[in-house]
Amino acid sequence: MRIGFRQIGVIAAKEFWDRIRNRWVFAVAAVFTAFALAIAYFGAAQQGGIGFKGIDVTIASLVSLVIYLVPLIALILGFDAIVGERERGSLDLLLSMPMTRLELLLGKFAGLSAALAFSTLAGFGLVGLLLSYQLDLGGLYHYFEFTLSAILMGMAFLSIAILISVAAADRARAGGLAIAVWFFFVLVYDLVLLGMLVGSGGRIGSGIFPILLLLNPADVFRIFNIFGMAEVKTLYGLATVFPPTLAEPWLLGSVMVLWIGVPLAVATWRFK
Amino acid sequence: MASAAIIETRQTVKRFGEIRAVDGVDLAVEKGEIFGLIGHNGAGKSTLFKMMLGLLSPTSGEIRIDGRPPAGEAFRQIRRSIGYLPENVAFYDHLTGLETLRFFADLKGADRNACLPLLDKVGLCHAARRRVHGYSKGMRQRLGFAQAMLGNPKILFLDEPTTGLDPEGIRDFYRILDAMRTQGTTVILTSHILAEIQERVDRLAIMKMGRIDALGTMQSLRERADIPLRLQIDLRGGDADTVRRLLRQAGATEVNGGDGMISARCARQRKMEALRALASLPAVVDIQIREPTLEDVFLGYGQENAGGRMESAEKEGRL
């Protein structure tokens, strides 16, 4: 059966405009702008100075902020996409339309992704514009790469959120599950890996460790942004545990795309 | 007859674990008729509906809509040619009535310009630009009905369409339904209130615990039912024994009561015989004849009081 792009578009447009109307997009954009500004100008205050200290340090600080914020925002954005319709009582009606379940899922995902991407671009874009007169082209490119990768990471967690919204029995459970997923990938995962590394005296370092890092979209995002920067790479100690061959942008990009595609595919399979 | 059927189910079964929600249903709804499906909550009406719409797939058996399986190759075409009003329909509170309708029109590929006239048709024109959040239950139901009529469907599936409607709303609803029937639309609707739809449907099926209990026109069901009557006789003076004896002679059963009041069950065919015999007694001052409704018979409420009725409905609901 051919995919109905019109139906996907209708669902996506509704999701996107819903987020514009309830000011979600503007609220998130404002939060990103505020944080990015604060980090860009006051990020070095601990080291005894204020003012812009260069793009690499700024991005490094932004990465550690965004890695908490974006997954949380994406999970909250998407966790009730399907279960919310089910609980409201509008799912049956939607499913009685000339639209497949796959199209409904893709429409939801596309619309929510657009809302997330729009607010991320607007928030960080505004700050990028303010920084642009202090940056060279390379710096701007870095900043752009950072914004793009933040969006991709957001989409990966959004994809997981959609899967949660399909699998969960009710909205409350979906919410709990979303918070648990955030907790696991953003807070627990790295700690466990670190514990393994230290506990084994570094023996598992070379082989399996980098692979384990790729199994977390948040870590993929971190590696993508930090590895390219000589100044901060050593600071994070990444060079010692992560081989440069695996840090190729195209490879990290592909892993992220997988992180977007696989949960959605599982969600489609579960949603019958 | 089977070839003229626009909705056809053959030995359709839907099982949820141990529960047989729909347990072997054979139905053929003909083109252009208004067909009623009556039953308790939990009798399997909604499940049957969802299978006809292709929202659920039957555990076994077959369903054809306009000659094709609802979830097969022609699914998009079929979906475009039907309208569905789910039970307890819910919409998006932040959208206006008109926006809601346009959203579904876009999904269905129906004409956007038909939305406002449709709202007018169901009497919601004044509220078209108000948010659904402020709509009453009746208004939401009217909006749901308008939604079902998007794109001039050939078949309307209406699940409990009149819940939440006031008497005027119910009248409006059936007036629109009649107009659609004259255009050739087939309508299948469910209700748990037989009295409300009995004069308004061409044929009806009574569903009980996942099965079709009875099927036909209202007239044929009435004839088939053979409902026993209940007589109540007021006596002033005279002897109750004679009355009791006469009643028994006329085949009455469950003759109860003594001085002043006697009640009895009586078969319809022997009603006049009993009445004639009683009429000759001067002590009989009044005779009340209680006819149980078809609802009592088919939905198994029997002679129970209202409280018992609720209980039995609940019990069946849980099953």
Side-chain angles (χ1 to χ4, degrees), chain B residues 2 51 92 141 157 256:
Chain B
M51 286 193 284
Y92 307 100
Q141 200 67 19
F157 292 85
N256 293 316

Side-chain angles (χ1 to χ4, degrees), chain A residues 68-131:
Chain A
Y68 286 96
L69 216 50
V70 165
L72 188 65
I73 287 171
L75 284 164
I76 290 173
L77 184 62
F79 82 93
D80 72 341
I82 298 299
V83 80
E85 300 272 1
R86 182 174 287 148
E87 213 159 288
R88 187 186 305 113
S90 45
L91 187 62
D92 275 343
L93 186 54
L94 275 182
L95 291 176
S96 79
M97 293 288 135
M99 167 174 66
T100 61
R101 286 166 191 240
L102 172 67
E103 285 153 15
L104 177 61
L105 279 188
L106 289 180
K108 288 264 180 190
F109 179 73
L112 296 176
S113 293
L116 187 67
F118 189 84
S119 35
T120 312
L121 271 179
F124 290 126
L126 205 64
V127 178
L129 228 56
L130 287 176
L131 292 177

Side-chain angles (χ1 to χ4, degrees), chain B residues 5-257:
Chain B
I6 192 161
I7 305 170
E8 222 185 335
T9 74
R10 254 180 259 142
Q11 281 304 307
T12 305
V13 175
K14 181 69 189 180
R15 219 179 298 133
F16 297 109
E18 289 291 293
I19 301 156
R20 285 169 162 261
V22 172
D23 194 7
V25 165
D26 285 294
L27 266 187
V29 178
E30 277 157 67
K31 205 168 174 259
E33 77 175 331
I34 298 184
F35 190 91
L37 200 57
I38 316 292
H40 291 307
N41 295 329
K45 297 168 295 176
S46 293
T47 307
L48 184 61
F49 252 43
K50 285 180 190 174
M51 286 193 284
M52 287 172 172
L53 289 160
L55 295 180
L56 288 173
S57 51
T59 310
S60 67
E62 215 182 338
I63 292 182
R64 297 208 173 266
I65 303 297
D66 214 357
R68 295 165 296 186
E73 282 292 301
F75 122 95
R76 241 184 265 274
Q77 223 179 323
I78 293 175
R79 291 286 179 84
R80 254 192 282 273
S81 70
I82 62 174
Y84 173 44
L85 172 61
E87 189 182 2
N88 302 322
V89 66
F91 293 110
Y92 307 100
D93 277 351
H94 62 280
L95 296 182
T96 67
L98 187 58
E99 284 167 344
T100 304
L101 221 48
R102 284 191 174 146
F103 169 64
F104 286 105
D106 288 347
L107 274 182
K108 216 169 169 182
D111 183 10
R112 277 187 140 225
N113 296 322
C115 292
L116 213 48
L118 265 180
L119 282 175
D120 191 34
K121 199 171 182 176
V122 298
L124 277 182
C125 208
H126 63 287
R129 286 170 215 286
R130 276 181 13 214
R131 290 180 177 215
V132 173
H133 182 72
Y135 277 27
S136 68
K137 193 159 183 341
M139 290 165 82
R140 283 163 204 252
Q141 200 67 19
R142 283 166 190 259
L143 182 60
F145 188 37
Q147 172 279 133
M149 288 190 287
L150 281 168
N152 289 317
K154 283 203 286 187
I155 313 172
L156 276 179
F157 292 85
L158 310 173
D159 202 353
E160 305 276 355
T162 53
T163 28
L165 290 182
D166 52 14
E168 190 195 350
I170 293 177
R171 234 180 358 257
D172 285 353
F173 168 76
Y174 282 107
R175 193 174 40 74
I176 297 170
L177 223 54
D178 269 334
M180 296 207 63
R181 193 226 323 244
T182 37
Q183 291 165 28
T185 310
T186 309
V187 181
I188 176 164
L189 56 91
T190 71
S191 179
H192 52 265
I193 309 165
L194 181 70
E196 183 204 304
I197 71 163
Q198 61 187 9
E199 305 310 331
R200 285 149 164 162
V201 297
D202 298 313
R203 282 197 305 149
L204 49 89
I206 287 154
M207 218 174 161
K208 223 168 166 179
M209 302 185 71
R211 291 171 173 278
I212 301 292
D213 213 35
L215 171 74
T217 62
M218 202 59 209
Q219 189 55 37
S220 73
L221 289 185
R222 222 175 246 133
E223 281 160 14
R224 201 181 320 160
D226 192 24
I227 303 168
L229 308 163
R230 197 151 193 94
L231 299 179
Q232 210 161 59
I233 299 119
D234 267 3
L235 286 177
R236 194 159 303 154
D239 66 314
D241 286 341
T242 320
V243 176
R244 278 199 285 266
R245 185 172 46 79
L246 283 174
L247 278 169
R248 289 206 183 88
Q249 273 173 11
T253 54
E254 296 176 29
V255 182
N256 293 316

Side-chain angles (χ1 to χ4, degrees), chain A residues 11-271:
Chain A
I11 296 288
K14 176 174 178 297
E15 291 299 325
F16 182 73
W17 287 112
D18 280 356
R19 296 312 180 294
I20 296 274
R21 278 164 78 133
N22 67 13
R23 300 186 187 84
W24 185 93
V25 166
F26 301 106
V28 171
V31 167
F32 284 156
T33 309
F35 275 115
L37 271 181
I39 283 172
Y41 288 105
F42 305 114
Q46 275 182 331
Q47 283 81 48
I50 57 165
F52 184 56
K53 293 287 177 213
I55 193 67
D56 278 6
V57 179
T58 300
I59 288 181
S61 310
L62 279 175
V63 162
S64 29
L65 169 81
V66 159
I67 215 165
Y68 286 96
L69 216 50
V70 165
L72 188 65
I73 287 171
L75 284 164
I76 290 173
L77 184 62
F79 82 93
D80 72 341
I82 298 299
V83 80
E85 300 272 1
R86 182 174 287 148
E87 213 159 288
R88 187 186 305 113
S90 45
L91 187 62
D92 275 343
L93 186 54
L94 275 182
L95 291 176
S96 79
M97 293 288 135
M99 167 174 66
T100 61
R101 286 166 191 240
L102 172 67
E103 285 153 15
L104 177 61
L105 279 188
L106 289 180
K108 288 264 180 190
F109 179 73
L112 296 176
S113 293
L116 187 67
F118 189 84
S119 35
T120 312
L121 271 179
F124 290 126
L126 205 64
V127 178
L129 228 56
L130 287 176
L131 292 177
S132 62
Y133 72 97
Q134 298 183 12
L135 290 179
D136 56 5
L137 217 56
L140 266 182
Y141 182 68
H142 248 150
Y143 188 75
F144 175 72
E145 273 188 331
F146 154 76
T147 309
L148 193 73
S149 60
I151 292 172
L152 283 179
M153 172 175 64
M155 286 170 73
F157 278 98
L158 194 57
S159 176
I160 297 173
I162 299 268
L163 172 58
I164 291 173
S165 83
V166 167
D170 55 56
R171 222 176 147 267
R173 263 177 256 196
L177 209 55
I179 297 299
V181 163
W182 179 79
F183 215 75
F184 175 74
F185 279 126
V186 173
L187 298 180
V188 178
Y189 197 86
D190 286 2
L191 272 181
V192 171
L193 284 200
L194 202 65
M196 279 167 55
L197 201 63
V198 173
S200 69
R203 261 171 290 125
I204 58 159
S206 54
I208 195 160
F209 197 76
I211 309 294
L212 287 175
L213 278 178
L214 291 182
L215 287 180
N216 180 350
D219 281 326
V220 176
F221 168 77
R222 197 201 315 268
I223 294 163
F224 179 86
N225 283 288
I226 300 300
F227 211 82
M229 300 187 286
E231 201 182 318
V232 286
K233 188 166 80 173
T234 43
L235 201 76
Y236 275 77
L238 267 172
T240 51
V241 293
F242 204 81
T245 44
L246 283 179
E248 294 284 342
W250 67 266
L251 183 73
L252 294 175
S254 313
V255 171
M256 205 58 123
V257 168
L258 273 181
W259 263 112
I260 295 170
V262 171
L264 263 185
V266 178
T268 309
W269 169 74
R270 269 300 302 257
F271 188 39

